[in-house]
Amino acid sequence: MNTLRSANLIGCLWLCIGSVAVFFINDYQSLVLGTVAITAIVGVGLNILMGLAGQTSLGHAAFYSIGAYAGTLLTIKFGVPYVVAMAGSALIAGLAGALLALPALRAKGPYLAMITIAFGYFVEQGIAEWKDLTGGWNGIMNISRPMLAGTEISGLQLTWFAVLLSAALIPAYAWFARSRWGIIMRATRDAEIAASALGAKLLVIRVIAFSLSAALAGIAGSLFASMNGFISPESFPFFQSLIFLLMLMIGGVGYSAGPLLGALVVILLPESLSMLAEYRLIFFGGLLLVVLLIAPNGMAGAALKASQAFAARFAKSGAILAQGSTEPTSLQALLNTHARARAAQASLTLKDLGVTFGGNHALKEVTLSALGGQVTSLIGPNGAGKTTLINLVTGFYQATQGSVRLNDLPLTGLTMADIGRNGLSRTYQTSQLFGSLSVLDNVYFGLLQGRLWGSIPVASRDDFCAQLLRVVGYQGSVTQTADALAHVDRRLVEIARALAAQPAFVLLDEPAAGLSAEEKIQLAVVLKHIAGAGIGVLVIEHDMALVMSISDRIHVLDSGRLIASGTPAEIQQSAVVRAAYLGSGESTFLKQATKQPSSLVETSEPARAQDILVIGDISAHYGAANVLTDVGFAVRQGDTVAVLGANGAGKSTLMRVLSGLHQQFSGAIGFDGRDISHLAAHQVARLGLLMVPEGRQVFAELSVEDNIRIGAYARAELTAEKLQAIYAMFPKLASLKTRRAGLLSGGEQQMLAIARGLAGEPLVLLLDEPSLGLAPAIVEDLFLRLAELKARGLTLLLVDQRADMALALSDRANLLAAGRMIFSGTSEALQESGKLTEAYLGA
């Protein structure tokens, strides 16, 4: 985003050029220059809508025409002074924008664009049919020039005024983007869910953006009518909306100089190539392609990037944090402006809370409480419903049963914004910072809570935000944009932003994900510090060592139900919790695997000694976040090997690396005698290393049989005999072969996913959490099927949350913790080592 100083300079330069030019140009050239200016005015309005609010409009020619007709009719038919008529044009067009925004903003993406296109055609036809007022298709001719002090304004003077207005709007846009409203609009564009959860009213903000954008288009339209002296519906075709959009993209969306640069290109270049007028569409299409290829951020973005690169060569490092601030003695001292931040006895109470998705209970009858001034942790296996619970509490989902109360305030049924303004702040599994905003502005947004007006409860916003960042341990620059931050800094800034809202409770969803051991120690100190300030902390976390070290109380979910609550020591000793994480040993499959191993495992033929899959020192990352570190082991042909570990240990990432779906890693992968380290996923599949992904991921719109046939695409032809063999293994699928896969139950979809993998005749089948979200009886049947595959000699690499059943099925096991291998050996040795309990429960 341009600085205000550079925007002022560009605006002054444009005004000077326009002021000098009007003394040396003829009437036609004056019209061209005026067209550049009024096009830039429309562009500034469109930049508010697209560059700040992130909304797309392909109907801005409609607002342009509304302004033109409104200004003309107000002066001609009602004798309104020109300046007042221009203000009326802005008002009428702005109201039209607000009316369009109310229904349009319930749609997103291409649907929003289609609604604005329809609006454009509606306005065009409405003007054409309202003949008594608008003249219909004949239009309005001989529109007189505006009068000033009884004297008619000349065309050159009107052009100069348009240049003056467009020049003034360049720094005005830069100022607006840095203002309270601009920051809130940019935040909703970057991460609308996070903005809403912090109190932003998305509909209000976007209606304002649409209204301001339409109002500027209306002003430009009134100038257009006065300059040209004639208007008709044909003066504002749909192609004009495309010109406005093209102008902004060429100039640079979100940059204050973008509309002017784009207007100069789209107006002056066609004028200089007027002999090629019949090729105008081809010219503009080609121009857009060139700009998107060379400068995807437009001319202004490319210029800013070049200037920053040049300045960086001579820049000296600045201060890390704002100067002149005094570090507070505690977080409570910093937040003492709000009573609820000190309310150590604040309570968050959930009673019989539940939600149903498509007939499935994601949560059912959950009753628990958390107290202010304490760290309360929420744990459970994959798919237990932890994030769903946070989403219910914060209003992202609406509960189908039960209630949520903050002290005496019922939160059930409130919007995310209302809940955010009433004492709950949150962070997310995947950081949702406002990437285009600075670190300081991210925290400032939390302080604003999405409020477009009203005072803020601190004396100095910058000093408060900088101190809050320091308190949570952030040591970087407060002026850099959030999208440039390292992973740990993103976590800290997100926590600081949540605290800036001065909540009674802060809800943290996996805050330690991707952090190093040292960074987790720092995070633990921060969380205890927050609780010490009287703020309640409700945290979802998979690092059990961290959970046990920071928690005052822990609640455990499994399959959407609360199964245990207590202190860390009580949770570690709970048989129910151990069963949820490690299994109870009571399943039919386990009894068969223990008492009758020959019924599950083929013993007539000895295992071959060849290692078919060799994993050498794999280290993987997502951006700057390390997920795996030096993981290595081998899989012998015909064996079943388990990869176990607590949630977030890196198991699924390892499977994605092996299957070629994740390429951000170092290390070596050998498969069937060849190096496949950096082959694409489809190449890995063709070699016979096939994955059944987490969550099944069947092709929902295709039939069961078509799903199976697609599985055979990469490796071999699926003959009728092979298909019947698959149906023999999964008889239920045979009866459902013509049904759409999306209509199957979870268990049926899991069977289909495995069948699809088998259709490709794999040498090694990777199974990523096959039992996730399935009922116990279905899990039993699933593992019996896997045992049949093992008995047939198929090599399996298995990741599953049912550690007991995975170990009973497997020959060897590997245990991950925080992305590192902490055990590799036989399944029996792992069970005897005690490391499973340590990894899963932090004991």
Side-chain angles (χ1 to χ4, degrees), residues 4 41 70 122 130 204 267 293 295 340 457 553 606 722 748 772:
L4 186 56
I41 294 170
F122 172 79
W130 203 350
V204 172
I267 301 300
L293 286 173
R340 71 179 177 220
R553 192 164 183 81
K722 292 177 182 177
E748 291 164 347
L772 181 64

Side-chain angles (χ1 to χ4, degrees), residues 59-60 62-63 66 96-97 100 114-124:
H60 251 54
F63 302 122
I66 288 172
L100 172 64
M114 292 300 294
I115 289 174
T116 59
I117 291 173
F119 174 73
Y121 281 112
F122 172 79
V123 170
E124 180 183 27

Side-chain angles (χ1 to χ4, degrees), residues 321-361:
L321 288 177
Q323 297 299 308
S325 61
T326 303
E327 187 173 357
T329 57
S330 68
L331 182 62
Q332 184 173 356
L334 183 60
L335 297 178
N336 63 5
T337 55
H338 205 291
R340 71 179 177 220
R342 303 192 304 273
Q345 294 306 309
S347 63
L348 180 64
T349 305
L350 285 60
K351 184 175 181 181
D352 296 330
L353 192 66
V355 65
T356 302
F357 299 119
N360 297 318
H361 290 283

